[in-house]
């Protein structure tokens, strides 16, 4: 400051600084709390959140077949795996994987593989559900968007995706009914 | 721009307004007599052309918005209705969708002009930064608009691009849910995308205003990169450059109209004719052509970055790709500080010129790679070209700034123009 107040300049300046700071802090808190409703309004609404669970009848899905159901707007892959496929999924050296997970940690019953059918790279739906689909280098699923290869346990083996295909929360209500969510 | 001396206008109505709000004085000063370097070539048309394209997009967009329905169940049908039933709806939509492409063509040429003639250098750094900001806003607006017809390509494009944010460690998934307003790209996503697609062009307009304001403070650069020193170096903007801009604009608009009327789907893709199905990804998702080079950079990072031969990963491949893609645009912001060479124009910097032309070739190459399936030779080619892209900005440009010896720069614009005339005679 070029000019100084005549009496006790030091003290009056600190008091003023304090007032500036507190007023500024209150203003910032006020602005943030005012902004929150606007921001939160863009989060999922209650009706969107209500679509939480879905029940699936497993009886028509034969060994070696796959099904695709919708849960929360997302496709869920259900595969009734053959004994060879289970053996192949379990026979992989876990330490060599990008996202290290044993097959046993990804299933409740080895014959039923249930996972969210969205590539963990950028959310495309991998191919491999139909017998005629390309299944990738590891004979599981293949994402056509950016070339991610998944094995028969839905684990990422090659390509840009960082994670294995996600497992949704699910439980078997009885031998033929699956509840997802 | 407000107070100060003002010359009286003869017309009493103009004078009445101007003495209260000097808009006529402002226009006269900034566009009438504004001193402009006299050696512009046609590269200097593209700022004005881009401005006209922005206005075209806003006008066609507003009338299209009066017919469009932003709802997941109705959007696709409402676009078909625009094409078949709305009077001139087909024309407005063709002009709007091809207008986006031509807006990007103009802006890419405008950016190249800036890089070739060193327009970003001191004192025009902020002018350049505002321009890069406009480019980013344009990319956001174009992406949002691409999703609105709710086609397979639009919906899945939205899925892929919003998922880019899931790469952010920690908050990624929460952020993507927030962007979607749900657990997948659905009705809430479409409605907010429409609202933002309507809003952003006006934000762009505001930033363009700042961009032009900054331009009128520093004055334009020119093909020689030599600042005007005397009155002999400049001419008034009107009529010389209003005429030159109008001529270039008309040529450009002829191409735009030709494509819009006779080749309207030249930039489109069959998956735009299929309604969005969240249960089925199209076999081959491609963004619009103007994003392809950046898309190729995104896909080029197929490897984790960490300590070799260990499991320690600092940046996963996915995050690496996203960082590289945003970095490819972001690096433009700091270009004025990467290139500190005192000579602006590439005309006098043979090495810089060669590297820049190679960069343009690399960007075209990346655009080609971005349109191919992500496998085999295309992955490797994409990685090589991405490598050159970043090499240019982070190694070649800073090194050339220090070591490149420029060829002789003319002492003034006037001297160079006279010299050229003498040679011709």
């Amino acid at each position: 400051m070029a000019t100084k107040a005549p009496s006790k300049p030091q003290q009056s300046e600190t008091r003023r600084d304090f007032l500036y700071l507190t007023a500024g802090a209150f203003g910032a808190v006020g602005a943030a709390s005012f902004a929150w409703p606007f921001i939160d309004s863009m989060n999922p609404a209650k009706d969107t959140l209500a679509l939480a669970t879905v029940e699936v009848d497993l009886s028509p899905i034969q060994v070696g077949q796959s099904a695709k159901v919708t849960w929360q707007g997302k496709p869920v892959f259900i595969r009734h795996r053959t004994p060879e496929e289970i053996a192949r999924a379990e026979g992989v050296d876990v330490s060599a994987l990008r996202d290290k997970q044993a097959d046993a940690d990804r299933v409740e019953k080895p014959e039923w593989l249930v996972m969210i059918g969205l590539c963990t790279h950028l959310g495309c739906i991998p191919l491999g559900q139909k017998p005629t689909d390309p299944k990738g280098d590891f004979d599981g699923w293949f994402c056509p968007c950016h070339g991610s290869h998944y094995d028969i346990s839905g684990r990422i083996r090659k390509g840009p995706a960082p994670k294995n295909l996600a497992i949704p929360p699910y439980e078997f209500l009885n031998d033929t009914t699956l509840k997802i969510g | 721009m407000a107070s100060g001396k003002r010359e009286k206008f003869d017309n009493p109505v103009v004078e009445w307004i101007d003495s209260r709000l000097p808009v006529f004085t402002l226009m006269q000063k900034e566009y009438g007599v504004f001193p402009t370097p006299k050696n512009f070539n046609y590269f200097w048309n593209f700022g004005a052309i881009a401005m006209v394209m922005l206005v075209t997009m806003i006008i066609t967009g507003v009338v299209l918005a009066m017919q469009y329905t932003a709802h997941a169940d109705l959007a696709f049908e409402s676009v078909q209705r625009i094409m078949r039933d709305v009077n001139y709806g087909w024309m407005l939509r063709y002009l709007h969708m091809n207008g986006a492409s031509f807006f990007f063509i103009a802006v890419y040429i405008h950016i190249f002009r800036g890089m070739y003639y060193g327009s970003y250098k001191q004192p025009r750094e902020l002018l350049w930064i505002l321009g890069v900001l406009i480019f980013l806003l344009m990319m956001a607006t174009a992406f949002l608009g691409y999703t609105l017809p709710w086609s397979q390509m639009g919906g899945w494009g939205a899925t892929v691009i919003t998922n880019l944010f899931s790469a952010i460690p920690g908050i990624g998934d929460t952020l993507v849910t927030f962007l979607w307003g749900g657990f997948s790209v659905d009705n809430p996503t479409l409605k907010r995308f429409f609202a933002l697609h309507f809003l952003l062009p006006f934000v762009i307009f505001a930033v363009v205003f700042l961009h032009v304001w900054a331009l009128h403070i520093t004055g334009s650069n020119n093909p020689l990169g030599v600042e005007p020193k005397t009155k002999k170096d400049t001419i008034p903007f009107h009529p010389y450059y209003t005429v030159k801009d109008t001529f270039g604009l008309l040529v450009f608009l002829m191409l735009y109209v030709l494509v819009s009327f006779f080749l309207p789907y030249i930039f489109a893709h069959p998956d735009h004719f299929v309604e969005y199905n969240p249960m089925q990804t199209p076999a081959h998702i491609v963004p619009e052509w103007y994003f392809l080079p950046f898309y190729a950079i995104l896909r080029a990072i197929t490897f984790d970055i960490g300590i070799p031969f260990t499991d320690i990963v600092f940046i996963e491949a996915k995050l690496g790709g996203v960082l590289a893609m945003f970095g490819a645009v972001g690096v433009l912001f700091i270009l004025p500080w990467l290139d500190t060479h005192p000579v602006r124009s590439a005309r006098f910097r043979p090495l810089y010129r060669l590297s820049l032309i190679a960069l343009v070739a690399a960007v075209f190459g990346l655009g080609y790679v971005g349109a191919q399936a992500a496998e085999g030779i295309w992955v490797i080619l994409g990685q090589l070209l991405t490598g050159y892209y970043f090499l240019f900005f982070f190694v070649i440009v800073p090194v050339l700034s220090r070591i490149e010896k420029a060829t002789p720069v003319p002492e003034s614009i006037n001297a160079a123009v006279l010299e050229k005339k003498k040679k011709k005679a």
Side-chain angles (χ1 to χ4, degrees):
Chain A
M1 285 281 168
T3 51
K4 277 191 177 175
S7 64
K8 292 188 180 177
Q10 213 71 29
Q11 204 188 357
S12 64
E13 262 178 26
T14 44
R15 283 179 63 154
R16 178 146 295 182
D17 287 348
F18 176 75
L19 282 173
Y20 276 141
L21 278 174
T22 43
F26 271 91
V29 171
S33 42
F34 191 70
W36 176 246
F38 293 85
I39 296 166
D40 196 37
S41 77
M42 296 204 286
N43 271 320
K46 293 200 177 54
D47 60 338
T48 310
L49 292 170
L51 304 168
T53 63
V54 68
E55 285 184 20
V56 188
D57 178 14
L58 296 176
S59 54
I61 307 170
Q62 302 298 312
V63 175
Q65 284 187 335
S66 297
K68 187 158 74 173
V69 297
T70 309
W71 172 68
Q72 289 189 343
K74 291 179 272 205
V76 172
F77 290 172
I78 302 169
R79 183 161 180 87
H80 198 166
R81 296 194 293 187
T82 63
E84 298 85 36
E85 287 174 343
I86 297 170
R88 199 145 52 77
E90 287 172 348
V92 172
D93 175 16
V94 174
S95 66
L97 297 173
R98 179 179 297 171
D99 183 7
K100 293 168 190 32
Q101 219 178 5
D103 186 61
D105 297 330
R106 294 178 53 76
V107 288
E108 289 202 0
K109 299 178 178 179
E111 61 270 33
W112 291 104
L113 177 65
V114 180
M115 53 191 187
I116 296 175
L118 291 176
C119 182
T120 56
H121 181 225
L122 295 173
C124 294
I125 300 175
L127 299 171
Q129 286 293 92
K130 293 182 196 143
T132 52
D133 278 351
K135 293 180 191 302
D137 294 355
F138 296 88
D139 209 16
W141 286 265
F142 170 70
C143 183
C145 290
H146 305 97
S148 290
H149 301 251
Y150 296 91
D151 67 12
I152 195 62
S153 185
R155 291 173 296 201
I156 180 66
R157 301 297 289 272
K158 187 180 162 191
K163 294 264 183 295
N164 301 333
L165 291 177
I167 306 295
Y170 68 88
E171 59 178 317
F172 289 93
L173 297 180
N174 54 49
D175 277 354
T176 60
T177 312
L178 176 74
K179 189 181 117 192
I180 304 169
Chain B
M1 60 177 130
S3 54
K5 271 183 198 153
R6 197 177 64 81
E7 297 218 356
K8 283 205 166 195
F9 286 87
D10 293 336
N11 184 316
V13 179
V14 171
E15 175 58 25
W16 188 91
I17 295 170
D18 202 69
S19 58
R20 285 158 180 79
L21 182 66
V23 284
F24 294 99
T25 300
L26 176 85
M27 284 308 287
Q28 179 64 11
K29 184 172 161 246
E30 302 298 337
Y31 286 100
V33 297
F34 192 69
T36 316
K38 65 178 178 183
N39 59 333
F40 280 180
N41 55 29
Y42 279 105
F43 274 118
W44 264 262
N45 279 356
F46 286 91
I49 289 172
M51 181 74 198
V52 170
M53 289 315 298
L54 174 62
V55 173
T56 307
M57 293 305 280
I58 289 177
I59 293 171
T60 51
V62 166
V63 282
L64 284 170
M66 294 176 190
Q67 306 290 347
Y68 172 76
T69 311
H71 188 284
D73 297 337
L74 305 169
F76 187 78
E77 285 302 317
S78 78
V79 173
Q80 301 314 308
R81 185 179 157 271
I82 288 172
M83 294 304 287
R84 285 150 215 267
D85 296 336
V86 175
N87 299 334
Y88 291 104
W90 57 273
M91 186 185 87
L92 295 167
R93 178 159 181 253
Y94 282 163
L95 287 175
H96 195 73
M97 61 187 245
N98 287 297
S101 284
F102 278 84
F103 194 3
F104 272 98
I105 290 173
V107 163
Y108 276 128
I109 296 174
H110 192 60
I111 293 172
F112 168 75
R113 197 283 320 272
M115 290 178 74
Y116 190 87
Y117 295 109
S119 299
Y120 49 82
K121 289 189 185 179
Q122 200 269 330
R124 297 185 181 83
E125 303 94 327
L126 194 55
L127 173 60
W128 171 262
I129 287 171
L130 288 167
V132 180
L133 190 62
I134 293 167
F135 178 48
L136 264 181
L137 286 167
M138 273 177 71
M139 293 174 100
T141 311
F143 155 69
L144 293 169
Y146 193 57
T147 65
L148 298 186
W150 214 233
S151 64
Q152 271 292 69
M153 197 54 95
W156 283 102
T159 303
V160 167
I161 301 298
T162 45
N163 263 305
L164 293 178
F165 294 93
S166 69
I168 300 168
I171 58 161
D173 288 330
T174 318
L175 183 64
V176 171
T177 304
F178 170 75
L179 292 173
W180 288 339
F183 303 103
S184 58
V185 170
D186 208 334
N187 196 40
T189 325
L190 174 62
K191 296 183 88 164
R192 64 190 54 192
F193 275 24
F194 178 60
L196 293 173
H197 182 69
F198 203 106
L199 169 71
L200 284 184
F202 298 96
V203 177
I204 293 177
F205 203 89
V207 184
V208 167
F209 178 81
L210 297 177
H211 187 66
V212 173
W213 186 1
L215 172 72
H216 280 238
I217 299 297
T218 60
S220 296
N221 185 30
N222 64 79
L224 293 170
V226 179
E227 290 291 330
K229 291 177 183 121
T230 64
K231 272 193 132 182
K232 282 182 180 169
D233 295 332
T234 62
I235 44 177
F237 191 83
H238 182 73
Y240 298 102
Y241 288 123
T242 41
V243 166
K244 189 163 185 159
D245 278 352
T246 307
F247 175 71
L249 177 68
L250 287 177
V251 173
F252 187 86
L253 289 182
M254 271 161 58
L255 286 172
Y256 166 40
V257 169
L258 183 87
V259 168
S260 298
F261 283 96
F262 296 104
L263 303 159
Y265 292 118
I266 191 174
F267 299 121
H269 192 280
D271 279 308
H272 272 305
F273 296 90
V274 183
E275 189 167 3
Y276 175 52
N277 175 4
M279 292 294 112
Q280 176 82 49
T281 311
H284 188 43
I285 296 185
V286 278
E288 290 278 68
W289 66 267
Y290 38 79
F291 291 140
L292 286 174
F294 300 104
Y295 192 60
I297 291 175
L298 166 77
R299 300 196 302 187
I301 313 297
T302 53
F303 43 84
D304 295 339
I305 297 161
I307 300 171
F309 311 114
T310 66
D311 282 340
I312 300 164
V313 173
F314 296 126
I315 300 174
E316 285 179 336
K318 174 173 161 182
L319 180 61
V322 173
L323 289 177
M325 186 180 74
F326 283 110
V329 183
V331 69
L332 293 173
F333 280 112
I334 57 167
L335 180 58
W337 293 275
L338 294 174
D339 182 3
T340 53
H341 199 280
V343 172
R344 285 204 189 100
S345 175
R347 273 195 194 171
F348 310 109
R349 297 183 60 192
L351 295 177
Y352 174 75
R353 167 149 80 175
L354 202 67
S355 333
L356 181 62
I357 289 168
L359 179 76
V360 173
V363 169
F364 272 99
L366 281 168
Y368 189 79
V369 169
Q372 309 305 314
E375 53 198 25
I377 181 75
W378 301 117
V379 177
I380 296 163
L381 194 59
Q383 286 167 343
L384 287 174
L385 294 171
T386 301
Y388 180 74
Y389 187 96
F390 287 105
L391 190 77
F392 174 84
F393 285 103
F394 288 115
V395 178
I396 295 177
V397 162
V399 168
L400 287 185
S401 293
R402 282 174 188 82
I403 64 163
E404 183 172 17
K405 198 163 166 3
T407 56
V409 179
E411 57 179 295
S412 75
I413 295 170
N414 192 43
V417 172
L418 291 182
E419 181 75 14
K420 206 173 159 191
K421 243 182 199 166
K422 224 195 294 174
K423 264 187 202 162
K424 255 187 194 167

